[in-house]
Amino acid sequence: MAMLEFLKDITFKANDVVVRAIDILLRNYISIAGLCFLLFITSNLSTFLALYFDSSNYFIKVILLLAFVGLYFSLQLVLLKNAIVLAKGEKKPGFWGFVPSLSQFINYIFGLIIYSLIAIVIYMIMYVLCFPLLFVGFSMDTVRYEVHPFLTGVVMLFVLIRTTFYPFFIIEHGFNTIRSYKFSLAMTKGNVMRLLVIILAVASTHLLQIGTEYLGYTLVSKILSLVNSFIIIPVVSVVMSVVYIDMMKAYKGGSEPSLMDNII
């Protein structure tokens, strides 16, 4: 009974967050969707130019790669800043107020590198933990293509939930990467189930896109890709901003949270 009440409570809170985010999005759709459109164009244009300049000078390809990486991730930070401002109901700071500083950009990229390194470490650890299954009757293919990917995915989902708010602290407070990770871990401690419900709710269309693409339904996959780009991504950006603001209001920790105390 207690578990049922717990599930009802987190579901209600998740629904409340999504409803509030959709209301904010409907009132500010053009500004958020416009940034998502720029992200969509940047991503697809980079793919096109990569094919177009495939036989070009290596130096030119490196310059274009760096330019598109810088532009794409800068637009992500602009989208995040815009979503935070809208979720807090603040007055927009003007064009330059949304542009991330070089320090914010570097810390954001460093955070992505850290997350990638964590993913590699977990990937290797899961292989070690799965190895004994070979001695109890599981085939190598089952472990390699089914058990290992599933367990790795579950662990990485947990890591994503705990660390997903680090860019918010970089873009709003100007914290460095490590301090932002500490605050993300501290703020999400005790909120994992709530965040899991929210993430699954807003990621359902993306999961459908992956499923249709895997099954070979190309047209349906393209349609869902457009839905993701211009509906789901804007919703996600506002939803996460609303969650961030709510958790910041409820945060009772100190100004320098301990990393080890908040990991579990």
Side-chain angles (χ1 to χ4, degrees), residues 229-242:
S229 298
F230 299 107
I231 297 179
I232 302 303
I233 293 179
V235 169
V236 169
S237 63
V238 181
V239 163
M240 299 309 286
S241 296
V242 170

Side-chain angles (χ1 to χ4, degrees), residues 35-56:
L35 289 169
C36 292
F37 177 72
L38 290 176
L39 284 169
F40 181 81
I41 291 296
T42 302
S43 177
N44 285 273
L45 184 60
S46 65
T47 303
F48 170 77
L49 290 178
L51 295 173
Y52 183 79
F53 288 102
D54 185 51
S55 58
S56 300

Side-chain angles (χ1 to χ4, degrees), residues 9 79 89 124 143 148 175 179-180 187 207 225 234 255-256 259:
D9 180 57
L79 175 62
M124 296 171 65
V143 173
H148 178 264
F175 293 168
R179 192 180 183 194
S180 297
M187 197 171 64
L207 294 174
S225 176
S255 58
E256 288 295 337
L259 180 63

Side-chain angles (χ1 to χ4, degrees), residues 21-42:
I22 290 176
D23 177 62
I24 294 171
L25 179 62
L26 290 176
R27 289 186 281 110
N28 302 276
Y29 181 76
I30 298 299
S31 64
I32 297 177
L35 289 169
C36 292
F37 177 72
L38 290 176
L39 284 169
F40 181 81
I41 291 296
T42 302

